[in-house]
Amino acid sequence: MWSGRILSGLVTLFLLFDGAIKLIPLDVVTQTMDQMGYGGSHAMARALGLVTLLCTLLYALPSTSLLGAILLTGYLGGAIASHVRIGSPLFSHVLFGLYLGLMVWGGLWLRDRRLRALLPLR
């Protein structure tokens, strides 16, 4: 249980930070978005920041954590697809969304008895 809480806490802190820097938005965010082909729009960065924060807060709350995990999986899948599209390095950029997704679901699986019953480790 505690391992799941710690893992989920680390992912939550990272994603809250990620969402917050998009809300400001920092220059590194808009420059990266431009390099990825999305333009350097402050409005787009803020919208992505809000989506990130909303999904992360849903994940952090026990009553909506499953919905949050599903939404974060979609969000991270989009990030993976974006990195594949522009030819980013595989292990450091493309698969980073996969690493986070595994931490999201691993933390939830460890801290939620109902999910462990639904998806038992055999």
Side-chain angles (χ1 to χ4, degrees), residues 32-47:
T32 302
M33 286 177 54
D34 191 40
Q35 290 170 353
M36 294 185 76
Y38 293 110
S41 165
H42 286 232
M44 171 81 93
R46 287 187 180 107

Side-chain angles (χ1 to χ4, degrees), residues 15-91:
L15 290 170
L16 288 174
F17 171 76
D18 184 57
I21 66 171
K22 288 176 182 159
L23 280 181
I24 297 175
L26 294 178
D27 286 337
V28 69
V29 172
T30 54
Q31 290 170 2
T32 302
M33 286 177 54
D34 191 40
Q35 290 170 353
M36 294 185 76
Y38 293 110
S41 165
H42 286 232
M44 171 81 93
R46 287 187 180 107
L48 285 174
L50 283 173
V51 168
T52 305
L53 292 174
L54 176 67
C55 294
T56 303
L57 291 175
L58 287 171
Y59 174 70
L61 297 172
S63 60
T64 58
S65 59
L66 185 59
L67 174 61
I70 292 168
L71 293 173
L72 284 172
T73 301
Y75 181 81
L76 294 170
I80 291 170
S82 295
H83 281 289
V84 166
R85 185 179 58 80
I86 65 167
S88 294
L90 179 65
F91 293 105

Side-chain angles (χ1 to χ4, degrees), residues 65-122:
S65 59
L66 185 59
L67 174 61
I70 292 168
L71 293 173
L72 284 172
T73 301
Y75 181 81
L76 294 170
I80 291 170
S82 295
H83 281 289
V84 166
R85 185 179 58 80
I86 65 167
S88 294
L90 179 65
F91 293 105
S92 61
H93 290 70
V94 174
L95 294 179
F96 189 75
L98 176 66
Y99 305 148
L100 277 179
L102 290 173
M103 291 174 67
V104 164
W105 283 101
L108 184 58
W109 189 85
L110 287 169
R111 69 183 164 110
D112 191 331
R113 160 176 25 99
R114 296 169 300 166
L115 186 58
R116 285 194 307 274
L118 182 64
L119 301 169
L121 188 63
R122 295 180 193 251

